Amino acid sequence: MVVGVCTVELFIPGSLSLKDKRQVLHSLKDRLRGKFNLSVAEVDAQDLWQKAVVGMACVANEGSYVNQVLDQALNVIRSLPTVEVVQARVEFR
Protein backbone atom coordinates (compact mmCIF):
# COMPACT_ATOMS: atom_id res chain seq x y z
CA MET A 1 0.00 0.00 0.00
CA VAL A 2 1.31 3.44 -0.98
CA VAL A 3 -0.04 6.66 0.52
CA GLY A 4 0.74 9.92 -1.22
CA VAL A 5 0.25 13.20 0.61
CA CYS A 6 0.45 16.55 -1.15
CA THR A 7 0.45 19.86 0.71
CA VAL A 8 -0.21 22.96 -1.39
CA GLU A 9 0.15 26.53 -0.16
CA LEU A 10 -2.14 28.86 -2.11
CA PHE A 11 -2.47 32.61 -2.54
CA ILE A 12 -6.01 33.75 -3.36
CA PRO A 13 -5.64 37.31 -4.71
CA GLY A 14 -9.36 37.96 -5.31
CA SER A 15 -10.39 37.06 -1.78
CA LEU A 16 -11.54 40.03 0.28
CA SER A 17 -13.06 38.05 3.14
CA LEU A 18 -13.14 34.60 4.68
CA LYS A 19 -16.42 34.04 2.86
CA ASP A 20 -14.70 34.66 -0.50
CA LYS A 21 -11.91 32.29 0.48
CA ARG A 22 -14.33 29.54 1.56
CA GLN A 23 -16.18 29.83 -1.74
CA VAL A 24 -12.98 29.40 -3.78
CA LEU A 25 -11.75 26.50 -1.63
CA HIS A 26 -15.13 24.74 -1.65
CA SER A 27 -15.15 24.79 -5.44
CA LEU A 28 -11.53 23.59 -5.60
CA LYS A 29 -12.07 20.75 -3.13
CA ASP A 30 -15.22 19.57 -4.91
CA ARG A 31 -13.42 19.56 -8.26
CA LEU A 32 -10.47 17.55 -6.92
CA ARG A 33 -12.69 15.05 -5.11
CA GLY A 34 -14.90 14.54 -8.14
CA LYS A 35 -12.18 14.27 -10.76
CA PHE A 36 -9.48 12.36 -8.85
CA ASN A 37 -11.30 10.77 -5.89
CA LEU A 38 -8.84 12.40 -3.47
CA SER A 39 -9.28 13.23 0.18
CA VAL A 40 -8.93 17.01 0.36
CA ALA A 41 -8.99 19.42 3.32
CA GLU A 42 -7.83 22.86 4.32
CA VAL A 43 -5.09 22.10 6.84
CA ASP A 44 -3.64 25.50 7.84
CA ALA A 45 -4.11 29.29 7.63
CA GLN A 46 -7.86 29.06 8.21
CA ASP A 47 -8.06 32.60 9.60
CA LEU A 48 -6.24 34.34 6.73
CA TRP A 49 -8.25 35.79 3.85
CA GLN A 50 -5.81 35.33 0.98
CA LYS A 51 -3.74 32.34 2.08
CA ALA A 52 -4.74 28.70 2.26
CA VAL A 53 -2.92 25.43 2.82
CA VAL A 54 -4.68 22.45 1.28
CA GLY A 55 -3.79 18.82 1.94
CA MET A 56 -4.60 16.01 -0.49
CA ALA A 57 -4.18 12.27 0.04
CA CYS A 58 -4.27 9.36 -2.37
CA VAL A 59 -3.97 5.64 -1.54
CA ALA A 60 -3.19 2.92 -4.08
CA ASN A 61 -1.16 -0.22 -4.54
CA GLU A 62 1.41 1.40 -6.89
CA GLY A 63 3.55 4.44 -6.19
CA SER A 64 3.61 5.46 -9.85
CA TYR A 65 -0.19 5.70 -9.90
CA VAL A 66 -0.25 7.81 -6.72
CA ASN A 67 2.43 10.12 -8.15
CA GLN A 68 0.52 10.48 -11.43
CA VAL A 69 -2.78 11.34 -9.69
CA LEU A 70 -1.18 13.94 -7.42
CA ASP A 71 0.71 15.51 -10.35
CA GLN A 72 -2.50 15.79 -12.34
CA ALA A 73 -4.29 17.33 -9.35
CA LEU A 74 -1.50 19.90 -9.00
CA ASN A 75 -1.80 20.74 -12.70
CA VAL A 76 -5.52 21.37 -12.25
CA ILE A 77 -4.84 23.67 -9.30
CA ARG A 78 -2.14 25.56 -11.26
CA SER A 79 -4.56 26.06 -14.17
CA LEU A 80 -7.17 27.83 -12.04
CA PRO A 81 -7.26 31.61 -12.47
CA THR A 82 -8.57 32.18 -8.92
CA VAL A 83 -5.53 30.79 -7.07
CA GLU A 84 -1.75 30.93 -7.28
CA VAL A 85 0.41 28.07 -6.06
CA VAL A 86 3.07 29.41 -3.70
CA GLN A 87 4.55 26.05 -2.73
CA ALA A 88 3.73 22.37 -3.21
CA ARG A 89 5.23 19.35 -1.49
CA VAL A 90 4.56 15.66 -2.22
CA GLU A 91 5.43 12.89 0.23
CA PHE A 92 5.05 9.13 0.03
CA ARG A 93 4.46 6.98 3.08
Side-chain angles (χ1 to χ4, degrees), residues 33-75:
R33 285 179 186 136
K35 187 168 186 170
F36 300 107
N37 195 24
L38 294 171
S39 294
V40 184
E42 183 179 7
V43 295
D44 198 7
Q46 287 93 344
D47 295 336
L48 301 176
W49 294 359
Q50 294 186 322
K51 179 181 176 183
V53 180
V54 175
M56 302 181 287
C58 179
V59 178
N61 59 350
E62 293 183 23
S64 60
Y65 177 76
V66 172
N67 192 36
Q68 179 185 7
V69 170
L70 291 176
D71 281 344
Q72 289 176 356
L74 277 172
N75 288 336

Side-chain angles (χ1 to χ4, degrees), residues 3-21:
V3 179
V5 177
C6 181
T7 306
V8 185
E9 184 178 332
L10 301 171
F11 174 63
I12 309 168
S15 177
L16 302 175
S17 67
L18 289 175
K19 183 177 179 180
D20 291 342
K21 175 184 170 179

